[in-house]
Amino acid sequence: MKPITFSREETKALVGEIQEYFREELDQDIGALPAEMLTRFFGEKMGAYFYNRGVYDAQELITKRMESLSYDVFALEQPTKHLR
């Protein structure tokens, strides 16, 4: 798997979210550089956990859709004297 990377605009948005979190939840100010370092840390060390959760959710969705599609295909079956 290639490393998780963000565009400059995404990084800027993430940094803003981290700074806001520190201000509102921890009553602390954090600079842009430390916030960007935290973003990089989470991406490198924990990003795979979040990424994998998304993959598992997608797999579950696809499985359910395929099952539904399978029922839809069998619904197209025409009646015959042959029993399956």
Side-chain angles (χ1 to χ4, degrees):
M1 180 177 105
K2 71 179 194 171
I4 296 172
T5 58
F6 298 104
S7 70
R8 190 71 203 141
E9 295 80 24
E10 290 170 322
T11 300
K12 190 174 179 180
L14 289 166
V15 164
E17 294 285 346
I18 290 171
Q19 289 176 312
E20 184 178 335
Y21 176 81
F22 269 71
R23 233 182 348 269
E24 292 180 3
E25 300 297 326
L26 304 174
D27 201 24
Q28 294 181 7
D29 285 328
I30 183 173
L33 183 59
E36 190 168 338
M37 291 171 69
L38 268 175
T39 300
R40 203 171 311 119
F41 167 78
F42 281 111
E44 291 171 1
K45 301 294 182 183
M46 294 175 212
Y49 292 99
F50 290 96
Y51 181 88
N52 289 346
R53 176 57 52 202
V55 169
Y56 302 150
D57 290 348
Q59 287 173 331
E60 182 180 349
L61 176 69
I62 289 169
T63 299
K64 287 179 181 177
R65 293 272 170 96
M66 291 303 292
E67 188 175 293
S68 174
L69 183 60
S70 178
Y71 290 130
D72 291 344
V73 170
F74 279 118
L76 298 172
E77 188 175 28
Q78 297 292 315
T80 65
K81 292 181 181 182
H82 176 285
L83 299 175
R84 286 201 266 142

